[in-house]
Amino acid sequence: MANPIFSSLPTTIFEEMSGLARTLGAVNLGQGFPDDPGPEAIRAKAADAVVNGYNQYPPMAGLPDLRQAVAAHYARTQGLDLDWASEVTVTSGATEALAAAFFGLIQPGDEVVVFQPFYDSYLPIIRRAGGVPRLVSLQPPHWRFERAMLEAAFTERTRFVVLNNPINPAGVVLPEADLALLAEFCVARDVIAICDEVWEQVIFGNAVHRPLIAFPGMRGRTVKIGSAGKMFGLTGWKVGFLCAAPAIARTLARAHQFLTFTTAPHLQAAVAFGLETGADWFAEMPRTMARARDRLSAGLVREGFAVLPSQGTYFLNLDLPASGVDEPDRAFALRAVKQAGVASIPVSALYEEDPVTSVLRLCFAKSDSVLDEAVGRLAKARELSLKAKL
Ligand code: PMP
Ligand code: GLN
């Protein structure tokens, strides 16, 4: 009776792990969300808009103030020249923006190149839209792609490629050379890139985010997707942005109008305010996140764990075998949450084929005391895992 694409899906790993953490009272380094409540001035703005503002349907494409603020933000931070009126649509989170792009653009039989590991909404929606995913597997420790991998994945039926950069769960900010290579493929083969750039603002140290839309030949063939949830550490808000040249943007807006039509106006108003006044936040937030990353990393290394580098996102990855853990990631993650009280994400859950089972993802967007507690619990989980082997 039900569509098998959805009826055969498990509950997402994020919900599974957060559910276990809630039930078991575990420290939750699984699903990616900060334990900080987020910028107070922006939350106050949203509250004020609920009480004193407009509570009816906002315009379908989003509040003009927010669309203008998005275009101005990307002009300031990434040198883009987006026209707010014809190129920016507000969505209910990046998840909806992705769905609008897939439903709006894909025709049955179109091949869509997707890199795994991936955000887990991609494949079901691509398939429901009639697309045929062609997977490229990224591998630790560098998680990068090469020409031969693209040559193997792109065929004459390829119409789209989905790129997540900075990469969740890898914590990689792709270098210019990799992006230039992908842009070269898109232009040569007349392919549209759907770019999930929700982590663009959460990058550390010298890392620079380069939007694929700015590469030669890409301006008219790229959909750029952002998320205020990640920009401001307000993941429950689900306010996203879809940016594309007018011909594509019009079609995306048609899909958006029948997915959600609009997004809560108060949150839109508050995000517009955040983008206009957020210079200090955008400077400080990555420094705070990098300090948390370094604290978790140092604690884990002290306990004898091996960690992979993280240049962006909220995530740090453990190399399990190099950390002395022989179990596959999912078995270890279940042991850690059930027996040691710490939730994580086994990265294998974000692959469809030939999963990497040696990497455990940890969210470091937490207070010092939570991170320190988690380190102790992960050490306990490893001890239990070693004992179980004997
Ligand atoms: N894409 C990626 C890569 C993500 O990590 C996330 C959220 N964790 C999303 C999309 C979804 O963003 P939103 O919450 O705005 O729907
Ligand atoms: N993308 C978030 C993460 O990686 C989770 C989002 C969700 O739970 N759907 O943790």
Side-chain angles (χ1 to χ4, degrees):
M1 299 276 283
N3 187 293
I5 293 172
F6 289 109
S7 64
S8 64
L9 282 179
T11 303
T12 84
I13 189 69
F14 306 114
E15 184 63 23
E16 181 186 359
M17 282 296 162
S18 282
L20 281 169
R22 275 192 294 269
T23 315
L24 300 168
V27 173
N28 190 357
L29 302 195
Q31 197 174 30
F33 61 90
D35 62 4
D36 183 272
E40 187 166 356
I42 300 180
R43 289 185 289 121
K45 194 82 183 170
D48 179 58
V50 170
V51 176
N52 301 309
Y54 186 69
N55 284 278
Q56 310 307 334
Y57 296 126
M60 187 264 283
L63 294 186
D65 277 1
L66 177 53
R67 297 163 70 204
Q68 284 161 17
V70 169
H73 174 76
Y74 285 139
R76 255 188 328 265
T77 57
Q78 296 177 21
L80 300 180
D81 62 342
L82 297 165
D83 170 43
W84 72 269
S86 61
E87 301 192 303
V88 180
T89 305
V90 177
T91 59
S92 294
T95 308
E96 194 229 332
L98 286 158
F102 297 148
F103 284 132
L105 299 176
I106 293 171
Q107 298 190 57
D110 287 347
E111 288 188 2
V112 185
V113 171
V114 184
F115 299 91
Q116 50 170 14
F118 34 59
Y119 179 54
D120 59 358
S121 82
Y122 298 172
L123 292 197
I125 307 292
I126 288 170
R127 292 202 166 105
R128 199 65 186 85
V132 180
R134 300 270 307 182
L135 301 180
V136 177
S137 267
L138 305 182
Q139 306 281 336
H142 55 75
W143 312 94
R144 290 176 57 187
F145 54 82
E146 289 160 8
R147 181 176 294 275
M149 293 158 85
L150 298 185
E151 256 156 19
F154 280 72
T155 75
E156 67 287 357
R157 285 182 301 283
T158 306
R159 299 253 350 265
F160 305 98
V161 58
V162 185
L163 179 71
N164 171 219
N165 180 45
I167 308 177
N168 171 14
V172 166
V173 180
L174 284 172
E176 179 144 14
D178 298 31
L179 296 165
L181 176 67
L182 187 62
E184 178 198 315
F185 267 73
C186 290
V187 172
R189 298 171 188 239
D190 198 16
V191 161
I192 291 179
I194 297 169
C195 293
D196 174 347
E197 301 186 351
V198 302
W199 296 101
E200 60 202 342
Q201 224 57 65
V202 191
I203 58 175
F204 315 127
N206 297 328
V208 177
H209 174 73
R210 294 183 176 81
L212 195 67
I213 195 170
F215 280 70
M218 296 306 291
R219 183 65 175 78
R221 59 172 70 255
T222 302
V223 178
K224 173 177 169 61
I225 293 173
S227 170
K230 301 299 188 295
M231 286 179 172
F232 296 110
L234 297 163
T235 63
W237 277 28
K238 304 294 276 191
V239 177
F241 320 122
L242 256 178
C243 307
I248 300 179
R250 263 193 303 278
T251 305
L252 301 179
R254 295 294 174 272
H256 159 72
Q257 78 179 340
F258 293 139
L259 283 169
T260 58
F261 185 61
T262 50
T263 299
H266 340 89
L267 301 182
Q268 292 194 51
V271 169
F273 167 80
L275 290 172
E276 284 153 11
T277 58
D280 290 349
W281 167 263
F282 289 129
E284 193 47 40
M285 175 271 287
R287 287 202 277 269
T288 309
M289 289 293 169
R291 275 196 297 275
R293 172 200 62 182
D294 293 345
R295 187 178 186 98
L296 179 62
S297 174
L300 289 167
V301 168
R302 252 192 320 274
E303 290 291 344
F305 285 98
V307 301
L308 299 175
S310 164
Q311 302 170 283
T313 76
Y314 295 157
F315 309 117
L316 181 70
N317 288 302
L318 274 183
D319 177 338
L320 291 175
S323 301
V325 175
D326 284 347
E327 280 177 308
D329 60 344
R330 184 172 166 84
F332 184 72
L334 289 173
R335 180 191 296 287
V337 69
K338 290 180 180 167
Q339 298 177 10
V342 55
S344 57
I345 298 293
V347 163
S348 62
L350 308 176
Y351 284 76
E352 182 171 82
E353 283 170 4
D354 304 324
V356 166
T357 59
S358 59
V359 177
L360 195 73
R361 194 194 82 174
L362 303 171
C363 174
F364 54 71
K366 307 292 171 188
S367 65
D368 289 353
S369 58
V370 170
L371 295 174
D372 295 349
E373 181 63 30
V375 168
R377 292 182 183 207
L378 283 162
K380 178 177 168 202
R382 184 180 52 185
E383 238 170 72
L384 292 168
S385 166
L386 289 175
K387 272 198 200 122
K389 205 171 75 172
L390 299 176

